[in-house]
Amino acid sequence: MVKGANVGLASLSENVDAVIVSLGWASPTGEGDADVSVLLLDANGKVRDDADFYFYNHPVAPDGSVQLLGKVPVGEGSEDRIGFDLTAIPAEVDRIVVAASRYEGARFDELEDLRVTLADGSGEDLLRFAVDDPGAVSAFIFGELYRRGDDWKFRAVGQGYASGLAGLATDFGVDIDDDAEAETAAEAQAEAEAQAAAEAAEEGTSTETEAETETGAEAEIGAGAASGAHPAPAAPGESEPPLPAPPPDALPALPSPRPAGDDGKPPKAAARPRTARKKVTLPKAVKKSLAENDSWKGARLFPVSALKSDRDRETRATSVLLSVMAQVPEFGRRLTAAFGAPTGRMETFTEVSLPHGDTPRRPDGIIRVERAGKLWTALVETKTNGNPLRSEQVQAYMDIAARRGYEAVITLSNDVALEGSPLVDVKIDGRRKHKVALRHLSWAEVAHQAQLLIRHEGVGNSAHAWLLQELLHYLQHDNSGCHGFQNMGAAWVPVRKGIEDETLCQGDPRALEVVESWERLVRQVSLGLGGELGQKVLPVQRARRGTDPGARRARMADELCAEGRLRAELRIEGAPGVLAVGADLRTGRLRTSVEIPAPEQGYPLTWAKRLVRRLAEAPADLHVETLVEEGAGPRGTLERLRPEPADLLPRSGARITGFRLTLFKGMGNGRGSAETGFIRSVDDAVQRFHGTVLTHLDPPAVRRPAAVEPAAGG
């Protein structure tokens, strides 16, 4: 499509009740990124209320009509995907705007290959709009979906906003609350409350007694009472002081104003959306166990001790996952929305017999979603314990789904799918009018989504949270067989020996197998770390614009043969730099590092002292290197630099551009994920570097949108 063009979705596909819109871009440095947002507009071109604004602090509509599905790595960078259930969009919504924004002075003209694609429910791409010149803007409207009678159309917009996300949202009627002072005060109040709670827990029953005698008036004061602050009485003729404002966290439901209740309390004002990112804090205190000793194990909803065979593991894992998906709507929608499933009542089944030739087929599971009398159905084929998917089995399920009018076949295994490298080869009969989507999930991705919901984003009630926690415990148990990618493949040992003996030649197909396994491992490590942190962790793909994924892997295979090294980079949201991971197969060492820029103000000695002070809890063997404009800067271990931070200053007086922090670790020998295995050693190295180094560094500058100004065309 070209800018300004429009097209009806019904003319492109018959399966457009649910669509996936993907916004993509590439960055020459590998560090550029943007965040997507969606606005639902009425016939007047405005949101009905602030709840029609979907972004990172408000990613999912309660009815499932809009779901921000997050980022996925692609060949040249990343794509941010949005799921729309067009049948669930309220009738009052006339137009849906799809946009993205950047922060900290970043502009869209610094990115490459900006594009928007739209896929139907079967996963087939229907349209693509490439943005040639976005301009020096910090927010950008890629396109919009709009109604024409009973049908939906898409328009390629390509309009920029110099005023950022806040300006864009405000222009469409969203009331933004991004008061920096209020945010700082709220965070300070939250910290004070946490400290007060910790002190109260230490004081024990005496504190509890005092709490019980607290008056109703003091209880109403809430956070002020907890911190020891009380409002001053109103002077004669003055109105009473307002109650403290609630902390502006995630975008809540936005009810209409309510009249004063019987108790005379004034109604609470509805919170406005904040484009400054919400701060998620995990509970620090763990409830004390009632067990007499460590040998007592808590009863589990999904026990794993009786699993003996691969068949038992596959059957149990399928039943456990599908049952939780049906009982926890947030989780079920999260996993199926990306596959084109609508929002509706979900039921799941296992061990269903379906006719296929002379002998019936029994898929491991079936997912059905009902909405407005229509059914969406997916067959599920599960593998555990590292067992590979079989092409002939998946092909049979694709044929059955096509004949019966089902929408998808979902494969689930420990393997990680790569772009341009399918896990199974199936043939699609182009003569068939009904199209079936073939989608893959890894067990690591399932665990990742469960972690995000229960630890960071929240679910509807405590029972749902408990079910997800039980599922996560099951998936992470050694006996479940759902461990994620855990084997570097048959080529791993021959390639390592070839590198050690210097007999591995460029073009050896085994090197390409190792590179693909390395990419799968890096993606799994990203999922695991992102689930724990509740932040986006994505592999960085530094590639020329338009580079084919296969060509990129072939180049990495040639580098492996020539240098004996595997390299990767991870972009962690909130980290001061990109985390680089390297495996040197010649020396058997893993290297994790990060480069942080020098401060814009101050003196070099102050920088060095502050950096060493921030790393007070970091490992003593951490290598610190000063980066200078020309040549090499001084370096040393943290143990040596702690008493003398001035040793980081270059004697030549060269201008310091930044610092590189590096940890080295021995590399596992085995191809698997056992304690001595390579996969375990890489995961441990990344976890250790993040936990002992990155968490102690200053985060990047707070990402705040620019002041609201009139929109500027792009």
Side-chain angles (χ1 to χ4, degrees), residues 19 30 46 152 177 253 283 314 329 354 369 440 447 540 582 600 609 681:
V19 297
K46 301 290 184 179
W152 285 92
D177 180 11
E314 287 183 11
L354 298 174
V369 181
H440 179 74
V540 177
E600 296 180 358
K609 288 182 177 179
S681 65

Side-chain angles (χ1 to χ4, degrees), residues 289-299:
S289 172
L290 300 180
E292 288 185 5
N293 54 63
D294 293 339
S295 66
W296 287 21
K297 302 299 181 184

Side-chain angles (χ1 to χ4, degrees), residues 75-200:
E76 300 109 28
S78 65
E79 280 189 351
D80 225 319
R81 298 179 178 175
I82 312 163
F84 292 102
D85 182 356
L86 297 180
T87 65
I89 299 294
E92 308 84 46
V93 173
D94 185 69
R95 191 155 51 106
I96 304 172
V97 171
V98 180
S101 54
R102 306 197 71 197
Y103 298 87
E104 299 177 11
R107 297 292 183 261
F108 274 96
D109 58 357
E110 299 166 351
L111 300 177
E112 296 179 349
D113 194 19
L114 270 73
R115 63 199 180 276
V116 56
T117 59
L118 185 145
D120 64 8
S122 66
E124 181 178 355
D125 288 341
L126 303 181
L127 58 86
R128 176 187 174 97
F129 169 43
V131 180
D132 295 327
D133 183 16
V137 295
S138 56
F140 196 82
I141 297 178
F142 283 77
E144 63 182 19
L145 292 158
Y146 62 99
R147 296 183 193 267
R148 279 298 178 266
D150 295 332
D151 297 328
W152 285 92
K153 302 185 74 173
F154 179 85
R155 178 183 291 116
V157 177
Q159 177 185 354
Y161 278 72
S163 51
L165 177 59
L168 183 151
T170 302
D171 197 52
F172 287 110
V174 180
D175 191 8
I176 296 295
D177 180 11
D178 271 343
D179 189 334
E181 295 182 1
E183 179 184 355
T184 304
E187 291 178 356
Q189 178 179 326
E191 292 179 2
E193 290 177 0
Q195 181 65 28
E199 293 174 356

Side-chain angles (χ1 to χ4, degrees), residues 455-645:
R455 296 182 180 177
H456 305 285
E457 298 177 11
V459 291
N461 57 52
S462 58
H464 290 173
W466 177 73
L467 279 173
L468 284 177
Q469 187 64 57
E470 289 294 298
L471 171 66
L472 192 59
H473 178 272
Y474 176 87
L475 296 178
Q476 295 175 339
H477 195 281
D478 291 338
N479 203 30
S480 70
C482 307
H483 314 300
F485 176 73
Q486 56 180 357
N487 195 311
M488 290 295 289
W492 175 246
V493 173
V495 166
R496 287 199 62 172
K497 289 183 177 179
I499 290 174
E500 293 173 0
D501 302 338
E502 298 186 7
T503 58
L504 187 65
C505 301
Q506 289 190 357
D508 192 321
R510 295 175 299 182
L512 184 58
E513 291 182 35
V514 169
V515 166
E516 290 183 345
S517 295
W518 169 252
E519 188 171 332
R520 289 187 170 96
L521 171 58
V522 170
R523 293 197 179 189
Q524 178 165 292
V525 169
S526 301
L527 286 172
L529 184 59
E532 291 182 10
L533 301 178
Q535 297 168 334
K536 291 189 290 288
V537 179
L538 285 175
V540 177
Q541 306 287 4
R542 299 182 188 268
R544 300 182 186 91
R545 181 174 179 175
T547 301
D548 178 74
R552 186 188 74 246
R553 296 183 190 116
R555 187 180 68 253
M556 292 176 61
D558 290 342
E559 293 176 358
L560 173 62
C561 296
E563 304 174 10
R565 294 188 180 95
L566 294 166
R567 297 187 181 91
E569 292 177 313
L570 304 181
R571 187 190 305 117
I572 304 173
E573 184 183 28
V578 173
L579 193 161
V581 186
D584 192 327
L585 275 62
R586 288 176 176 167
T587 62
R589 290 209 303 175
L590 292 171
R591 173 191 179 109
T592 48
S593 63
V594 66
E595 293 185 8
I596 56 176
E600 296 180 358
Q601 298 179 345
Y603 298 96
L605 181 58
T606 304
W607 303 343
K609 288 182 177 179
R610 191 170 192 277
L611 177 62
V612 172
R613 194 163 57 244
R614 295 287 294 179
L615 296 171
E617 303 298 325
D621 60 344
L622 177 70
H623 287 239
V624 184
E625 177 184 359
T626 304
L627 305 177
V628 297
E629 280 188 328
E630 296 181 1
R635 66 183 69 187
T637 62
L638 191 58
E639 183 179 26
R640 183 176 68 80
L641 293 170
R642 276 172 175 154
E644 294 294 339

Side-chain angles (χ1 to χ4, degrees), residues 315-327:
T315 303
R316 176 70 64 83
T318 305
S319 182
V320 167
L321 173 62
L322 295 186
S323 63
V324 175
M325 287 175 61
Q327 294 303 317

